[in-house]
Amino acid sequence: MTTIDFQIRYFEDVDPADEFEEAAQPTTDSVIGWLTVDAPRRGWTGEGDEQPDLPRTRFIDAELALEQGLPGAIVPGAMSMAILTKLVTNWMGPTGKLRSIEVDFRRLVLHEDSLRCIGLVTDTLEEDGASIVKLDVYMENERGERPLQGTASVELPHRPE
Amino acid sequence: MTVEPASEAEAAFEYDESAIGVDVDVGSFEITREQIEAYCEAVDETNPLYTDEAYAQNSPHGTIIAPPGMLHTMPLSQGLDPKLQVHFKSTSFHAGQGMEIFGPIREGDSIQARSQVKEIYEKTGRTGRMVFVVRRISYVNQDDAVVAAIEHSFVNREMGTR
């Protein structure tokens, strides 16, 4: 667990070309955790109960992934996007509002990949009375690839006068 | 320069056109504390708005809220309906995804999901022919407020060809 510096981020303190980053390393256990978020509702507590039956998929089964021509079990795209979303929600602080985020999945994210999640401020503007920060967001892996690349839009508060 | 010979892949893909633009109810779910905790553990989420009750009570939301990405983990009763019945010799991959957030999702909220196929199109890239299917899922809470929408694009492509 990493702790985050959770300060209010004000619009006035953000400039184009500002950069921020976080590290991430999704494991097979975390992928199983992702796929079973809804398990408590189905009565599985993870303590002494049987693990819910997970379908055999390329997300947890390396053998099946290999059969499908993949180099190994892959991290679900939505989970990779969630990890990149976390970069932005951590950065924007408790009063920032994430308005939108969109990504392209360009390369596979494999279990145990060492990922750098990077955000870059591309614009700051006022839009319909709201102060908006536009970001480029992407992930880099240790193979020099950018498996996810996209943009996000965040609304930040003004610093009180 | 060589010209790729025509192959079976040249055959037009087929799908059920009547499914485009039709809103389909894909289920409802409650946002529970247990799910929020399980989600936060899976993606190593330490944001106190999602994890710390005392902190959250003093936040603008007044209560623990769900991380936006959690919507992706909620089961939709009919999977990725409406079903298009795409017939194209291929494997399907997630090509892209976008999310718009219109309001907070609080612990205890009851969320209804509606899905529609927005578009389907074909493209030829470096690796061959690809068929893209774009779906949009809207999430509505118990007060009839649309809290979020997710658009995702799946690509059907042939494996093992260049």
Side-chain angles (χ1 to χ4, degrees):
Chain A
M1 288 288 252
T2 46
T3 51
I4 55 170
D5 175 23
F6 215 59
Q7 303 293 312
I8 292 179
R9 187 172 299 281
Y10 295 106
F11 184 67
E12 285 75 12
D13 300 332
V14 175
D15 294 302
D18 285 356
E19 243 186 36
F20 49 99
E21 81 172 80
E22 279 182 12
Q25 190 165 34
T27 62
T28 302
D29 276 353
S30 66
V31 172
I32 291 173
W34 168 269
L35 295 173
T36 54
V37 163
D38 189 47
R41 199 172 63 167
R42 291 178 274 162
W44 179 61
T45 64
E47 290 159 13
D49 296 330
E50 272 189 43
Q51 199 163 326
D53 278 338
L54 281 176
R56 193 169 172 241
T57 64
R58 57 194 179 204
F59 302 122
I60 46 174
D61 190 326
E63 215 173 284
L64 180 69
L66 290 171
E67 279 169 27
Q68 293 184 358
L70 302 168
I74 62 174
V75 176
M79 180 175 176
S80 298
M81 182 182 176
I83 291 169
L84 204 49
T85 303
K86 182 178 65 152
L87 166 80
V88 178
T89 49
N90 282 346
W91 175 80
M92 72 188 187
T95 52
K97 288 183 193 155
L98 176 63
R99 288 192 157 196
S100 64
I101 178 165
E102 51 183 55
V103 300
D104 285 338
F105 301 108
R106 296 169 168 232
R107 293 283 186 276
L108 301 170
V109 178
L110 304 176
H111 295 198
E112 302 294 344
D113 271 358
S114 279
L115 303 164
R116 290 173 68 201
C117 304
I118 299 167
L120 170 70
V121 177
T122 56
D123 202 2
T124 57
L125 61 146
E126 299 283 343
E127 204 174 74
D128 302 328
S131 35
I132 304 292
V133 178
K134 302 280 188 189
L135 302 168
D136 278 352
V137 290
Y138 56 96
M139 258 184 193
E140 273 182 7
N141 64 24
E142 65 269 55
R143 297 179 291 282
E145 300 167 335
R146 286 190 180 181
L148 270 72
Q149 181 150 352
T151 58
S153 180
V154 170
E155 182 180 346
L156 291 182
H158 282 289
R159 183 178 283 286
E161 309 234 333
Chain B
M1 286 287 282
T2 57
V3 177
E4 293 287 325
S7 69
E8 276 180 63
E10 298 296 321
F13 70 93
E14 288 172 16
Y15 64 97
D16 177 7
E17 280 180 51
S18 68
I20 306 287
V22 178
D23 250 344
V24 173
D25 196 337
V26 286
S28 58
F29 46 86
E30 285 228 349
I31 301 293
T32 68
R33 176 71 65 93
E34 288 80 7
Q35 288 162 356
I36 294 173
E37 284 173 0
Y39 176 92
C40 289
E41 196 180 325
V43 298
D44 196 16
E45 182 70 82
T46 57
N47 188 322
L49 292 174
Y50 317 139
T51 59
D52 183 335
E53 184 154 22
Y55 184 95
Q57 278 170 355
N58 292 310
S59 78
H61 308 293
T63 182
I64 287 209
I65 58 169
M70 200 179 118
L71 286 178
H72 300 298
T73 65
M74 294 293 103
L76 304 179
S77 61
Q78 298 170 65
L80 294 171
D81 271 352
K83 296 250 187 320
L84 273 173
Q85 314 272 347
V86 177
H87 297 293
F88 184 68
K89 190 174 66 178
S90 61
T91 303
S92 178
F93 277 98
H94 216 160
Q97 184 157 282
M99 181 170 203
E100 292 168 83
I101 295 134
F102 306 113
I105 299 164
R106 297 182 169 85
E107 179 188 356
D109 276 0
S110 192
I111 305 289
Q112 179 84 36
R114 299 185 67 76
S115 172
Q116 69 160 260
V117 176
K118 218 177 135 186
E119 57 175 334
I120 176 165
Y121 59 93
E122 189 186 340
K123 233 161 95 168
T124 302
R126 191 166 41 85
T127 53
R129 289 173 75 225
M130 299 173 284
V131 173
F132 289 81
V133 179
V134 183
R135 286 187 171 82
R136 182 178 177 89
I137 305 172
S138 304
Y139 297 88
V140 181
N141 71 13
Q142 65 279 2
D143 303 321
D144 261 347
V146 181
V147 287
I150 293 175
E151 249 183 58
H152 54 85
S153 166
F154 271 85
V155 57
N156 296 270
R157 63 196 291 182
E158 292 170 305
M159 293 294 292
T161 55
R162 280 193 6 91

